[in-house]
């Protein structure tokens, strides 16, 4: 009963308030015009937002996700049509600190056979960050640590161009700065460059270990001790000693361990190092760099067990596909196997020049295009790393057997960036490089003449150091015999 009364009352109010017929028409017309204006504004805002979103998806940086580049073309009928081209923007990581362009490797004569000029040497860190090519730069290497001493040494190649950079920084474990003023200033200069890089959006990561001849080691207790020490001296912890200067906080630490002297001790300590770093600094990047070669156990012989046990604390792997002839393209490229060994992001580690890969593995444009086409659609593929930035950017030369006497300036990092951004930079032969390893095909070849072995398949087999085919300063290595 009350509902009926309310309805009648409301109807009476409406009727009582109704305007005369002529005014009512004006109100209706005004309402229609207002509605049209509102709809037009809404449509305009929608399309403006949509166009902005499309432009944003093309110009975004660093993401391995597939993006869309929309372009307008004129069809055969003369009308405009729109096509979409997927652009995959992968990560590019560069190694800095070892001045690889000055290592003296000659592509024809082997190691210690090429004279290098200081005019081509490594530039300051900021120089490379300002190229815009890199998402991350790895400082290489903190190569002396362990043994229960809580000490370490960072070893950068010696070079001195415009500012005092490089040299050795040693921490004696006593909580005090013990390096001379020149070293302290040199590392402070690098620290200033680190801040410049980070302001540009480039992450800076410290690389532990390096080649197997470096004197790093592990004893019981080193894992937790060094995780705490590195957290306080390089990451977001606190310490009275900060090698790169007060207020310089690195973005992460990677472990590039290429030997394992005592797995029963080393493995648990390496696991402890990684897991405790992640606990102490969850936002920091923690990475591992295995060699691409898979031993008799089907994993990296040095850090395979570490990767399996500490996977939840590892943000990504950089798989080194150079100086490993038996698993580098085109002789046994094994990326697909690695996707079953680790479920997270995978970076393919490449050499910056023939001379950077002492035992081979540099990819020219066609080989690089092939490798990219083999992995680009895999969800774990995240990008490339390059060793190193000194050999893959100007003023370095790009050494080649085609123009051996007059090499051009190197732009290899630009090439890597281009292919990751979806540009075609070579002719792909995607069927190559996927064959199984065959023990019967293993031969000994010369590192200095890897180019000719790849290009002509006619390089003489090196059986010993007296072979005249290898040059006076050869660097022989194991390699699958090429199939021409």
């Amino acid at each position: 009963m009350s509902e009926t009364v309310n309805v009648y009352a409301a109807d009476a109010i409406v009727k009582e308030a109704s305007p005369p017929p002529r005014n009512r028409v004006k109100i209706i017309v005004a309402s229609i015009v207002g509605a049209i204006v509102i709809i037009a504004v809404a449509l305009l805002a929608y399309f403006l937002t949509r166009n902005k979103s499309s432009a944003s998806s093309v110009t975004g940086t660093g993401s391995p996700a597939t993006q869309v580049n929309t372009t307008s073309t004129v069809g055969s009928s003369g009308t405009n049509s729109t096509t979409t081209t997927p652009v995959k923007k992968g990560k590019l990581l560069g190694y800095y600190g070892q001045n690889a362009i000055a290592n003296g490797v000659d592509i024809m004569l082997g190691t210690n056979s090429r004279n290098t000029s200081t005019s081509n040497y490594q530039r300051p860190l900021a120089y490379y960050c300002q190229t815009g090519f890199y998402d991350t730069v790895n400082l290489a290497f903190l190569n002396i640590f362990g043994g229960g001493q809580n000490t370490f040494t960072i070893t950068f190649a010696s070079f001195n161009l415009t500012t005092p950079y490089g040299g050795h920084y040693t921490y004696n474990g006593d909580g005090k700065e013990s390096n001379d003023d020149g070293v302290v200033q040199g590392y402070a200069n690098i620290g200033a460059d680190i801040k410049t890089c980070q302001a540009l959006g480039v992450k800076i990561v410290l690389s532990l270990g390096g080649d197997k001849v470096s004197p790093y080691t592990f004893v019981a207790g080193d894992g937790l001790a060094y995780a705490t020490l590195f957290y306080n001296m390089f990451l977001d912890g606190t310490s009275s000693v900060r090698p790169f200067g007060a207020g310089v906080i690195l973005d992460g630490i990677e472990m590039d361990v290429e030997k394992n002297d005592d797995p029963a001790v080393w493995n648990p300590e390496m696991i402890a190092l990684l897991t405790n770093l992640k606990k102490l600094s969850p936002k920091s990047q923690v990475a591992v760099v295995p060699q691409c070669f898979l031993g008799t156990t089907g994993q990296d012989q040095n850090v395979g067990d570490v990767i399996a046990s500490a996977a939840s604390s590892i943000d990504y792997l950089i798989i080194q596909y150079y100086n490993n002839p038996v698993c580098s393209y085109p002789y046994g490229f094994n990326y697909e196997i690695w996707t079953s060994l680790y479920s997270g992001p995978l970076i393919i580690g490449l050499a910056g020049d023939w001379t950077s890969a002492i035992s081979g593995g540099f990819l020219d444009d066609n080989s690089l295009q092939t490798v990219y086409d083999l992995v680009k659609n895999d969800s774990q593929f995240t990008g490339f790393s390059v060793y190193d930035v000194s050999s893959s950017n100007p003023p370095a030369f790009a050494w080649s057997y085609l123009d051996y006497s007059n090499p051009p300036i190197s732009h290899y990092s630009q090439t890597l960036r281009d292919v990751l951004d979806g540009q075609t930079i070579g002719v792909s032969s995607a069927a190559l490089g996927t064959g199984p390893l065959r023990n019967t095909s293993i031969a000994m070849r010369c590192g200095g003449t890897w180019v000719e072995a790849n290009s002509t398949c006619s390089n003489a087999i090196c059986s010993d150091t007296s072979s005249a085919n290898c040059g006076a300063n050869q660097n022989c290595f194991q390699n699958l015999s090429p199939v021409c």
Side-chain angles (χ1 to χ4, degrees), residues 270-302:
M270 286 191 283
I271 293 168
L273 174 59
L274 297 174
T275 55
N276 282 290
L277 275 173
K278 202 62 179 176
K279 288 178 182 177
L280 289 166
S281 186
K283 69 178 183 180
S284 294
Q285 295 182 359
V286 175
V288 177
V289 185
Q291 307 300 294
C292 63
F293 176 70
L294 302 174
T296 57
T297 59
Q299 62 182 7
D300 179 275
Q301 61 185 354
N302 300 312

Side-chain angles (χ1 to χ4, degrees), residues 144-390:
I144 304 175
F145 62 90
Q149 302 300 310
N150 226 30
T151 62
F152 65 80
T153 296
I154 303 171
T155 303
F156 291 147
S158 296
F159 56 101
N160 190 341
L161 293 175
T162 58
T163 52
Y165 280 74
H168 302 261
Y169 181 101
T170 298
Y171 174 66
N172 292 327
D174 58 2
K176 300 177 182 178
E177 180 60 76
S178 59
N179 295 276
D180 63 42
D181 292 343
V183 170
V184 172
Q185 183 58 53
Y187 275 74
N189 291 338
I190 297 175
D193 277 7
I194 290 171
K195 288 188 173 182
T196 297
C197 293
Q198 291 171 329
L200 293 169
V202 180
K203 296 184 181 300
I204 305 297
V205 171
L206 181 62
S207 185
L208 310 178
D211 59 36
K212 62 184 179 181
V213 301
S214 294
Y216 53 86
T217 187
F218 287 96
V219 298
D222 275 347
L224 176 57
Y226 276 99
T228 304
L229 182 65
F230 294 153
Y231 166 71
N232 285 324
M233 298 189 79
F234 299 111
L235 303 178
D236 44 336
T238 58
S239 171
S240 58
V241 178
R242 301 281 294 192
F244 295 110
V248 177
I249 300 174
L250 303 186
D251 296 289
I253 288 178
E254 67 162 33
M255 190 173 69
D256 182 8
V257 169
E258 300 184 13
K259 61 182 179 180
N260 192 332
D261 294 343
D262 185 357
V265 176
W266 282 48
N267 285 347
E269 295 307 320
M270 286 191 283
I271 293 168
L273 174 59
L274 297 174
T275 55
N276 282 290
L277 275 173
K278 202 62 179 176
K279 288 178 182 177
L280 289 166
S281 186
K283 69 178 183 180
S284 294
Q285 295 182 359
V286 175
V288 177
V289 185
Q291 307 300 294
C292 63
F293 176 70
L294 302 174
T296 57
T297 59
Q299 62 182 7
D300 179 275
Q301 61 185 354
N302 300 312
V303 294
D305 288 331
V306 176
I307 293 169
S309 298
S312 62
S313 298
I314 300 171
D315 292 297
Y316 57 88
L317 300 184
I318 301 176
I319 309 168
Q320 186 174 318
Y321 278 101
Y322 58 94
N323 294 335
N324 285 285
V326 296
C327 51
S328 295
Y329 180 85
Y331 299 115
F333 185 62
N334 62 0
Y335 173 87
E336 186 175 353
I337 299 176
W338 276 97
T339 63
S340 65
L341 298 175
Y342 175 74
S343 61
L346 297 175
I347 304 287
I348 291 179
L350 301 176
D353 183 68
W354 286 113
T355 62
S356 295
I358 297 174
S359 296
F362 175 72
L363 300 182
D364 60 17
D365 287 1
N366 293 339
S367 297
L368 176 61
Q369 186 69 55
T370 299
V371 166
Y372 178 72
D373 288 344
L374 285 169
V375 302
K376 64 183 180 182
N377 294 322
D378 181 72
S379 60
Q380 289 179 248
F381 172 67
T382 306
F384 295 128
S385 74
V386 60
Y387 183 87
D388 69 354
V389 295
S390 78

Side-chain angles (χ1 to χ4, degrees), residues 89-90 92 133 135 413-421:
K89 290 185 174 290
L92 180 59
F133 301 150
D135 297 274
S413 280
Q414 173 73 73
T415 299
L416 291 171
R417 183 70 269 164
D418 288 346
V419 75
L420 288 169
D421 289 348

Side-chain angles (χ1 to χ4, degrees), residues 46-67:
Y46 168 76
F47 285 110
L48 286 175
T49 303
R50 183 181 181 187
N51 290 338
K52 183 178 181 181
S53 175
S54 297
S56 170
S57 69
V58 175
T59 58
T61 59
S63 172
T66 300
Q67 300 173 339

